[in-house]
Amino acid sequence: MPTLHEMFDVRGKSVIVTGGASGIGRAYAEVMADNGARVCIFDIDAKGLEAVVTGMVARGGDVWGQALDVADRGRMAAAFDTVADRHGRIDVVFANAGIDAGPGFLSTEGQRLPEGAIDALDDHHWDQVIEVNLTSVYTTVKHAARHMKYSGGGRIIVTSSIAAQINEAIVGTPYMPAKAGVDHFVRQMAMELGAYGILINCISPGPFMTNIAGGRLKIPADRRAFEGQSLIGRIGDTEDIKGLALYLASPCSSYMTGSQIVIDGGAMLRFR
């Protein structure tokens, strides 16, 4: 029987994390690097990326970065090839990059917000949210699969949201269908890729303190609203997600694919 250490062993694994310069993506990169994986972070924030990589390297991590926009399909293809050339293969990919969808049609006090109404929604904003939160997942999975088929398998972990499974009036409308599409896409890819030894699963967070929600959660009323969804009375910290990320990237989850794993402090139960 394997030991607990062997079950969670990711030493030497070649890992890509999109949107890894902050928030949940940074937590993914940290837990993988701290446990001996070789990590490449993709992020559009070049300055933030440099600071995060420098910090992880200083504490002994084998970490480097590529500054790019996940919506740039040509750059994404080239970036995956660069990682494969440098590491010799790609074993684990975290498709995590995402952006905020702006205000919903209701405030946290239940008042109508004209700027969040469907007839006021800017078409460019809709396109951008779908492009980054859904289409970039397609691009990431496409190139992960291309390399993992060649090397005999791998793990893909996609950051979804409980927004894929509920309706939420205080969250911008484009966010909901984008994340619902992510969940369905992951299930479809699990059906296709399992025969190649590629396992793909979703992590579905509830409210977490990240850059996407960080500014909004500084507003007391908004923070109280999200804290009120949790059954344990607090918003998630990115440290809370590291164990789940390691589990899905490691041999411990070798019989899991096509799953949506909720990590939300019980918030989903408030909506049932």
Side-chain angles (χ1 to χ4, degrees):
M1 293 290 291
T3 66
L4 187 63
H5 180 74
E6 290 169 338
M7 291 171 69
F8 285 92
D9 188 9
V10 295
R11 289 173 298 175
K13 296 292 187 183
S14 169
V15 179
I16 291 172
V17 181
T18 70
S22 63
I24 287 173
R26 178 174 179 170
Y28 294 157
E30 287 176 344
V31 72
M32 297 303 290
D34 288 348
N35 284 278
R38 298 171 294 162
V39 179
C40 182
I41 301 172
F42 297 174
D43 205 288
I44 196 170
D45 178 8
K47 186 175 180 180
L49 176 61
E50 182 180 6
V52 166
V53 168
T54 299
M56 291 187 193
V57 170
R59 66 195 223 186
D62 184 349
V63 184
W64 57 294
Q66 298 191 63
L68 58 85
D69 182 351
V70 294
D72 186 332
R73 298 183 190 184
R75 286 289 310 281
M76 284 284 281
F80 269 82
D81 291 345
T82 298
V83 175
D85 288 343
R86 180 162 171 169
H87 290 174
R89 57 188 290 132
I90 297 172
D91 299 302
V92 181
V93 172
F94 289 89
N96 168 75
I99 59 173
D100 188 9
F105 63 87
L106 291 183
S107 72
T108 53
E109 293 83 13
Q111 299 170 327
R112 291 274 171 172
L113 295 176
E115 64 271 29
I118 188 64
D119 47 305
L121 188 63
D122 180 73
D123 289 346
H124 173 71
H125 180 62
W126 170 277
D127 291 344
Q128 186 178 34
V129 173
I130 298 298
E131 180 68 36
V132 176
N133 290 2
L134 175 57
T135 305
S136 81
V137 174
Y138 149 75
T139 304
T140 302
V141 172
K142 176 179 182 176
H143 295 298
R146 175 167 62 89
H147 284 281
M148 289 176 179
K149 283 182 180 181
Y150 180 80
S151 60
R155 305 296 175 83
I156 304 171
I157 299 102
V158 180
T159 304
S160 183
S161 169
I162 62 171
Q165 303 177 50
I166 63 172
N167 296 99
E168 179 56 82
I170 64 175
V171 175
T173 293
Y175 195 79
M176 321 302 279
K179 291 300 185 181
V182 164
D183 275 19
H184 203 68
F185 177 66
V186 165
R187 291 189 291 269
Q188 182 74 13
M189 289 300 97
M191 293 176 63
E192 178 180 343
L193 298 176
Y196 301 97
I198 301 170
L199 308 183
I200 179 168
N201 293 285
C202 280
I203 293 178
S204 299
F208 268 73
M209 182 61 78
T210 69
N211 278 0
I212 287 181
R216 185 174 187 180
L217 293 176
K218 293 176 184 177
I219 302 170
D222 284 10
R223 185 180 182 97
R224 286 193 299 272
F226 284 108
E227 286 174 339
Q229 293 178 3
S230 169
L231 299 184
I232 56 178
R234 67 176 177 87
I235 291 168
D237 185 273
T238 54
E239 290 293 315
D240 295 321
I241 212 162
K242 287 184 175 181
L244 179 54
L246 182 61
Y247 168 71
L248 289 174
S250 73
C252 203
S253 60
S254 61
Y255 197 56
M256 286 192 63
T257 195
S259 296
Q260 285 77 39
I261 304 177
V262 171
I263 178 167
D264 69 345
M268 281 282 289
L269 298 178
R270 300 276 191 193
F271 295 92
R272 293 176 178 170

